[in-house]
Amino acid sequence: MRRPTPCLHLERRPSAFYWRRRVPELFSKNTSNRFFVFSLKTDVLREAEVLARRLTWLSSLAFDYSRGVANMETGLMERVLTELVRFEIAASDHARAIAPERPREGAQQALQREHALQATLRDVLLLRNREVAREPVRAAAERLGVQVSEDNSDWVTLAYEATRVLLDLSVERSKRDQGVFTAPSRFFEVALKADSALSMPDYRVEPAATAMHAAPVAQVVAEPATVTTSAPASAPLAASEPIQPSPPKPTKKASIKLSEAYEKYSEARLAGKEGKRPEELAVKAKGESWERNSFSNLKANAKLMIDVIGDKQLCDLTKADFIEAFSIIQRVPANHGKSSKEVRTIREIVEATDFEEQKNKARVHAQLKKAGASQGNIEAAEHQENIARLRVNTVYRHMQDAQRVVRYMEALGYLSENFMENVMWSKSELERLEILQEDNSRKIWGDELPKLFRTPLFQGQIADIGDLMFWAVIIAVLHGLREEEVLQLRLDDIRTENGIVYFDIKVGAPWQRLKSKAATRRVPLHNSLIALGFLDLVAMRRREGEERLFPHLTRGKNRKTLSDNFTKDFTRFRKANDVYEKRIDFHSFRTQFNVEQIKARTDSELRHILMGHEMETVNLKHYGGDGHDLAYLQEIVQRVDIDVSMIQSPFADGKTARVSDLQATRKRLRVV
């Protein structure tokens, strides 16, 4: 029966100001008024208690009505859901206890299945679907021997709460499966309770025992001293017995947040430290190099980890946090972070992406199945609905950055263990995952190169004869130089020796950077580059008094490199001229150069030298030296057979050089 709504009469109570005016004795310090003050306070407190009870009862009733459970039998929902939790936890614990040993791969797959279940349950809650809870609730009610009606509003509320319980159960199972428990083992607790009832005996070492430890080994064997434990704990120490000072207790550092951990590691690296030990030597050049090449990656990793894990205190973190974090990071869409309007969390983005992918696959599968398509075509169509996620190497890079920070925090004393241990992929696991993922490796330009050379920029429609886009492309494809090596060329880096013009690739100015020591090298100019008027460009820059070959190129804000902005410009150029392909970029010119040398049967040693690669053998690394002179290297460079006959030189006379006359242009470009 529905209980009636109480009718409360809430009269207005006088304020403190009212009582101060009417009864000043209430607020006086006169001891003769204590009894009156006590009586008045007692009455007020009694009325307040009655009023609070009435308000609490009314609030509970209103809350019950708002939840839609006012008609449900008292305690029925709690009994059913409690039974559901206890049964599921007991069943999973028993299954875990008797399960055989499993490989790490199997454990990871089980964890991923649990996470997929959690994503499904969250989606069910989002869509207000109660069907997933129907069977678990029925089973729990049957074990209790009670009946739960499914044809009223109470069932809707019960099913919703049961779905939440199922989600909590899945989260708890995944934690326990990884050895993360909210309470000690019951056997451990019993042992502690039993142990607390016993008093441990106090032991004292007599002076003879001390002498035994100080005696030579032979004497100890011949005349062993005895250790007694019969002296009472309160007995005074003998005057001859040395007092051993107790060792100092290790001081535990106050915990810091995860964001602060990343800040501390960043500060160390920016200062030029290794970020591995508390006390390290700072090298300014190392800090500048790290800021330029790695700082942006660490900031991206910090943002991702804090979003997924939360900005927790380090003392509250567990290994399960990192395992779960990287199971989520593997499913992050590849285009994440490219929209400034994105406000969702990483978890929300991943769940929405998973749902969209599954929905699209189900739709395609149903359509093709209905149309009678073959299984092969159905699988191919479903594959097309896959949403690109972070590449394996990108996830591994995030793992490396997280592990560096965790290890540094362990060295500083903020963490007691490395939570990334066994979370990091092994080399064999990384290789296996790289094989399994879709091939997205860089391609050479190949047949796309003639299309690039027939764009307006290379066909004489050029506003600036020193156009960076034109010359950077030609230099890279004919010489295999890295992008930054091309863009940072100084006029002093174009030198001549015995009539051979060459690029002197080295650090000749503070703002120049090389990837490695092996990048220092000399690369003779290709004849085609000279024929296109490159030396005219060099002479023009000298007359202008410029230091750099491309003086107007600016540096990017993130890495402070010249390639930052140019890479974006080159992407826009390719898209605007319809020569864009995702797997072909500026670095593909360098790959093209290597392929051309392989086709020309150039051995690996010479390719290493010309491309500035690290030597792979002791002989080449330590005894290669400058064994190959410029004349021979010039001959090797000319083996790159790239057809530039359709290119219009910026320095050519437009009246005599016709782009359509390819044979004539080819002869003009030949340099003997």
Side-chain angles (χ1 to χ4, degrees):
M1 176 181 296
R2 189 189 302 270
R3 53 189 175 187
T5 304
C7 179
L8 297 180
H9 176 67
L10 304 178
E11 62 179 359
R12 184 174 182 180
R13 297 294 179 183
S15 64
F17 178 73
Y18 171 85
W19 287 114
R20 185 184 295 273
R21 286 194 338 177
R22 296 296 300 273
V23 191
E25 295 85 0
L26 179 64
F27 299 91
S28 70
K29 297 182 179 179
N30 193 339
T31 55
S32 62
N33 296 322
R34 288 180 180 176
F35 178 77
F36 171 77
V37 173
F38 174 77
S39 301
L40 183 58
K41 287 185 176 180
T42 304
D43 292 340
V44 172
L45 291 174
R46 188 180 298 111
E47 291 185 12
E49 182 181 1
V50 173
L51 178 60
R53 288 178 179 177
R54 290 178 179 176
L55 288 175
T56 302
W57 179 78
L58 179 60
S59 299
S60 300
L61 181 63
F63 183 64
D64 286 346
Y65 271 97
S66 68
R67 292 192 307 168
V69 299
N71 291 328
M72 181 171 287
E73 179 187 345
T74 305
L76 179 58
M77 179 185 295
E78 182 178 355
R79 291 170 60 197
V80 172
L81 297 184
T82 302
E83 168 61 23
L84 175 60
V85 172
R86 289 175 176 172
F87 178 82
E88 291 293 336
I89 289 295
S92 61
D93 283 350
H94 179 68
R96 191 180 307 109
I98 64 174
E101 184 180 358
R102 61 183 177 181
R104 181 170 298 279
E105 189 174 285
Q108 290 286 355
Q109 291 175 354
L111 186 60
Q112 290 175 3
R113 286 195 297 269
E114 204 69 65
H115 288 158
L117 173 60
Q118 293 166 21
T120 302
L121 290 172
R122 290 190 180 98
D123 188 58
V124 167
L125 290 171
L126 174 67
L127 301 178
R128 308 293 190 264
N129 185 347
R130 269 75 174 181
E131 285 303 313
V132 69
R134 191 177 298 276
E135 289 304 323
V137 168
R138 285 177 178 174
E142 184 177 351
R143 287 192 298 271
L144 289 173
V146 298
Q147 293 291 332
V148 176
S149 177
E150 300 179 8
D151 57 358
N152 55 35
S153 59
D154 292 343
W155 159 254
V156 176
T157 304
L158 176 60
Y160 178 82
E161 294 296 336
T163 306
R164 288 192 57 189
V165 165
L166 292 174
L167 177 59
D168 293 336
L169 280 167
S170 179
V171 173
E172 181 66 19
R173 279 197 303 267
S174 63
K175 288 182 178 180
R176 294 191 179 201
D177 210 28
Q178 299 169 67
V180 179
F181 298 92
T182 56
S185 164
R186 61 189 181 93
F187 300 106
F188 184 79
E189 288 183 331
V190 170
L192 284 184
K193 290 179 181 178
D195 186 62
S196 63
L198 301 175
S199 59
M200 295 298 294
D202 293 320
Y203 294 93
R204 188 169 73 85
V205 180
E206 294 293 339
T210 306
M212 179 194 71
H213 292 292
V217 175
Q219 181 181 349
V220 171
V221 173
E223 298 178 4
T226 59
V227 180
T228 70
T229 60
S230 58
S234 59
L237 292 173
S240 60
E241 183 177 357
I243 301 176
Q244 299 293 334
S246 58
K249 295 182 179 179
T251 57
K252 184 179 180 181
K253 287 192 175 183
S255 183
I256 60 175
K257 292 184 177 180
L258 184 59
S259 59
E260 295 173 311
Y262 273 94
E263 290 172 4
K264 284 184 176 293
Y265 180 77
S266 299
E267 290 171 0
R269 298 308 306 269
L270 290 172
K273 299 179 181 180
E274 292 291 332
K276 296 179 180 179
R277 293 170 296 276
E279 300 295 334
E280 295 176 320
L281 177 66
V283 181
K284 184 180 179 181
K286 284 185 177 181
E288 293 173 350
S289 175
W290 185 84
E291 181 180 11
R292 186 172 54 254
N293 298 315
S294 304
F295 190 29
S296 59
N297 289 339
L298 184 76
K299 288 190 289 187
N301 176 249
K303 183 179 179 181
L304 194 60
M305 295 296 290
I306 294 170
D307 192 335
V308 176
I309 294 178
D311 199 8
K312 296 181 180 180
Q313 297 285 336
L314 294 190
C315 62
D316 294 332
L317 292 176
T318 64
K319 182 171 289 188
D321 290 322
F322 289 85
I323 293 175
E324 183 188 21
F326 281 102
S327 70
I328 293 173
I329 290 173
Q330 293 178 66
R331 293 149 52 203
V332 171
N335 62 355
H336 161 66
K338 296 185 178 181
S339 173
S340 59
K341 299 179 180 179
E342 182 62 76
V343 295
R344 296 174 297 175
T345 65
I346 295 296
R347 292 176 183 270
E348 291 171 342
I349 292 173
V350 168
E351 290 171 6
T353 305
D354 290 344
F355 178 71
E356 181 183 358
E357 186 177 87
Q358 294 169 6
K359 180 182 68 176
N360 292 341
K361 286 186 176 183
R363 173 180 50 79
V364 168
H365 182 92
Q367 290 175 351
L368 294 181
K369 193 74 173 178
K370 185 177 181 180
S374 66
Q375 184 62 31
N377 285 344
I378 292 176
E379 290 180 0
E382 287 180 344
H383 177 72
Q384 294 298 321
E385 299 299 328
N386 284 339
I387 299 176
R389 311 300 176 105
L390 293 182
R391 303 286 295 176
V392 168
N393 283 329
T394 303
V395 176
Y396 189 69
R397 189 197 72 212
H398 281 297
M399 287 181 171
Q400 289 176 312
D401 283 334
Q403 177 162 262
R404 293 184 185 109
V405 174
V406 169
R407 282 179 172 175
Y408 190 51
M409 292 302 103
E410 185 182 8
L412 294 181
Y414 290 103
L415 289 176
S416 59
E417 62 176 308
N418 177 11
F419 290 136
M420 285 298 296
E421 188 179 5
N422 298 327
V423 177
M424 284 282 298
W425 291 329
S426 63
K427 288 186 177 180
S428 59
E429 178 68 7
L430 177 62
E431 292 174 358
R432 187 186 70 83
L433 292 173
E434 286 177 331
I435 293 172
L436 291 177
Q437 76 177 351
E438 185 177 353
D439 183 21
N440 197 26
S441 57
R442 183 178 284 113
K443 294 169 54 179
I444 65 172
W445 276 85
D447 294 338
E448 295 296 311
L449 198 55
K451 290 174 60 177
L452 175 66
F453 288 160
R454 287 190 173 91
T455 58
L457 178 66
F458 297 92
Q459 295 295 300
Q461 299 181 29
I462 187 171
D464 177 14
I465 57 177
D467 191 290
L468 167 64
M469 192 68 65
F470 179 94
W471 291 108
V473 167
I474 301 300
I475 293 172
V477 74
L478 292 176
H479 303 85
L481 270 60
R482 297 179 177 91
E483 186 175 6
E484 192 72 17
E485 292 172 348
V486 174
L487 301 178
Q488 68 182 9
L489 282 170
R490 301 179 307 146
L491 298 181
D492 288 346
D493 295 333
I494 295 95
R495 309 178 70 85
T496 304
E497 182 178 302
N498 297 327
I500 299 174
V501 186
Y502 64 93
F503 291 116
D504 190 13
I505 307 300
K506 65 180 185 303
V507 176
W511 43 265
Q512 286 185 309
R513 299 288 183 269
L514 294 181
K515 186 173 182 180
S516 65
K517 184 178 179 180
T520 302
R521 64 198 188 279
R522 300 190 298 175
V523 182
L525 268 60
H526 198 288
N527 288 341
S528 294
L529 181 66
I530 297 174
L532 286 171
F534 178 72
L535 297 182
D536 294 330
L537 172 65
V538 175
M540 183 184 74
R541 293 295 189 221
R542 293 188 191 280
R543 290 193 302 270
E544 294 171 348
E546 296 291 351
E547 170 77 9
R548 281 171 27 197
L549 186 63
F550 306 112
H552 305 298
L553 179 61
T554 59
R555 297 182 182 275
K557 294 181 179 179
N558 293 328
R559 299 175 58 200
K560 303 295 188 297
T561 61
L562 297 170
S563 56
D564 274 354
N565 292 334
F566 179 77
T567 298
K568 299 174 185 176
D569 292 339
F570 187 56
T571 299
R572 286 191 286 267
F573 171 80
R574 288 180 292 146
K575 290 181 177 180
N577 290 277
D578 197 26
V579 288
Y580 178 80
E581 211 279 331
K582 184 178 179 181
R583 294 168 59 188
I584 300 177
D585 56 11
F586 193 89
H587 195 82
S588 296
F589 293 131
R590 183 169 163 84
T591 309
Q592 180 89 38
F593 177 87
N594 189 50
V595 170
E596 292 293 329
Q597 291 291 353
I598 293 174
K599 286 163 57 177
R601 301 295 189 270
T602 303
D603 62 48
S604 60
E605 177 184 343
L606 288 167
R607 298 202 310 274
H608 278 301
I609 292 173
L610 287 173
M611 299 187 69
H613 283 152
E614 292 285 351
M615 300 298 186
E616 296 178 352
T617 66
V618 174
N619 180 270
L620 293 177
K621 185 174 182 179
H622 298 286
Y623 305 102
D626 295 327
H628 301 293
D629 59 19
L630 277 175
Y632 185 47
L633 292 178
Q634 184 186 38
E635 177 187 335
I636 302 302
V637 169
Q638 308 311 317
R639 293 179 181 179
V640 177
D641 187 17
I642 302 294
D643 184 9
V644 296
S645 62
M646 72 285 293
I647 298 177
Q648 173 71 55
S649 169
F651 290 94
D653 184 358
K655 296 181 180 180
T656 58
R658 295 183 179 180
V659 177
S660 58
D661 189 356
L662 298 183
Q663 292 299 324
T665 307
R666 184 186 296 273
K667 292 178 181 178
R668 179 177 61 81
L669 292 178
R670 295 296 182 189
V671 177
V672 180

